[in-house]
Amino acid sequence: MIYWHIFLAFFIPNIVGYGGGPALIPLVEHEVVHNYGWMTVDEFAEVLALGNALPGPIATKMAGFVGFEQAGVLGAVVALFATIAPSLILMLVLMGVLMKFKDSPKVKKLSAIVRPAIAVLLGLMTYRFAFSSLSDNGWIHTIFLLGASYFLMEVRKVHPAFVITAALVYGAIFLA
């Protein structure tokens, strides 16, 4: 039964998610943390941070890690397949349609409409992470990390992987 749950936990977000890996993160977080209770919000945040720091698509890295944590190597394989299968199936089915209408104003308008929904989902997840950090680490560390991250990424244009690595080091030194 665990393999079926792992499959559903990653297949459903990937079949209904639109907008790439970042758009799927809140959906996967809902399944892993709230629906199945395999991780706390803090543990999910750590997996997300590590996944962002490593090269490659984040959804597959998170699926592999969570699947392995829940059911070993076979769990990782099931989670990876559940993550990849929806995209593969839809890509094969819709490739011809998308190529035919790629310059259509309606397709461009659809993308413009979906982006705000993705922003809201990511904003809600950020709020949960920030609230969890405030309650677990206090407002001084949380405000410092938020401010420093914003400054480094938006003002200094530092790659997010380096900011996440720096935050991990900060957490290991000051919050461990």
Side-chain angles (χ1 to χ4, degrees), residues 9 39 67 80 100-101 107 110 114 134-135 142 166:
M39 293 181 163
L80 285 171
K100 186 175 179 180
F101 296 107
V107 172
L110 176 66
V114 169
L134 277 172
S135 64
T142 301

Side-chain angles (χ1 to χ4, degrees), residues 20 25 39 47 60 72 83 85 96 110 120 133 144-146 150 152:
I25 292 169
M39 293 181 163
V47 171
T60 52
T83 300
L110 176 66
V120 168
S133 178
F144 174 75
L145 286 172
L146 285 172
Y150 178 81
L152 290 172

Side-chain angles (χ1 to χ4, degrees), residues 3-15 24 59-68 72-90 92:
Y3 299 114
W4 178 243
H5 288 163
I6 291 171
F7 180 81
L8 289 177
F10 289 97
F11 185 79
I12 291 172
N14 281 283
I15 199 75
L24 300 175
T60 52
K61 290 180 284 188
M62 291 177 58
F65 180 83
V66 173
F68 183 80
V73 173
L74 187 55
V77 171
V78 169
L80 285 171
F81 176 73
T83 300
I84 296 168
S87 297
L88 183 63
I89 293 166
L90 289 175
L92 292 174

Side-chain angles (χ1 to χ4, degrees), residues 165-176:
T165 302
L168 289 172
V169 171
Y170 179 88
I173 294 171
F174 296 107
L175 302 175

Side-chain angles (χ1 to χ4, degrees), residues 24-121:
L24 300 175
I25 292 169
L27 303 174
V28 171
E29 186 255 352
H30 175 75
E31 294 294 322
V32 170
V33 173
H34 303 291
N35 192 20
Y36 291 106
W38 292 331
M39 293 181 163
T40 65
V41 172
D42 292 340
E43 291 168 337
F44 187 82
E46 291 172 3
V47 171
L48 178 63
L50 286 173
N52 270 326
L54 298 172
I58 189 164
T60 52
K61 290 180 284 188
M62 291 177 58
F65 180 83
V66 173
F68 183 80
E69 282 287 306
Q70 295 306 310
V73 173
L74 187 55
V77 171
V78 169
L80 285 171
F81 176 73
T83 300
I84 296 168
S87 297
L88 183 63
I89 293 166
L90 289 175
M91 186 174 64
L92 292 174
V93 171
L94 298 175
M95 185 180 293
V97 175
L98 287 175
M99 291 306 291
K100 186 175 179 180
F101 296 107
K102 71 178 182 180
D103 295 325
S104 166
K106 290 180 181 178
V107 172
K108 291 180 179 178
K109 187 181 258 183
L110 176 66
S111 294
I113 291 170
V114 169
R115 280 190 203 127
I118 294 169
V120 168
L121 289 172

